[in-house]
Amino acid sequence: PGLFFAADKEHSKRQCLEFNQAGIEAVHIDESTKQKERDDAVRRLKEAARANKPFFICNVNILSTGSDIPEAEVIYPKPTLS
């Protein structure tokens, strides 16, 4: 399971779609996502980790520094200009 940090909403939604099309379950969250849905995404990631199944949360500025989700084994950082 992992986290994908996108540059913007479209980038996150596009990557989420690509994960799902490849058979890797993924969800997108951003500032318009309700807290209950955000919590559900984190719960699903933790469940996937326990079941040893792939799952990604694609997000834009929601999960960031200080997020404590040790179950996230893979982290894709957003692209930078450097």
Side-chain angles (χ1 to χ4, degrees), residues 9-73:
K9 285 183 191 181
E10 290 308 312
H11 181 217
S12 179
K13 289 177 182 179
R14 187 174 58 251
Q15 186 60 51
C16 185
L17 178 64
E18 289 179 16
F19 278 136
N20 282 298
Q21 288 176 338
I24 299 169
E25 190 176 1
V27 296
H28 159 82
I29 61 173
D30 61 41
E31 79 281 351
S32 66
T33 306
K34 294 181 180 175
Q35 187 62 49
K36 183 181 181 313
E37 293 176 53
R38 295 178 193 186
D39 293 343
D40 184 55
V42 172
R43 179 189 55 77
R44 290 172 63 193
L45 184 140
K46 290 178 178 184
E47 287 175 357
R50 283 191 294 274
N52 200 28
K53 294 183 177 180
F55 182 85
F56 276 87
I57 298 174
C58 301
N59 81 106
V60 182
N61 298 326
I62 299 299
L63 302 172
S64 60
T65 304
S67 295
D68 186 22
I69 308 173
E71 292 84 359
E73 297 176 352

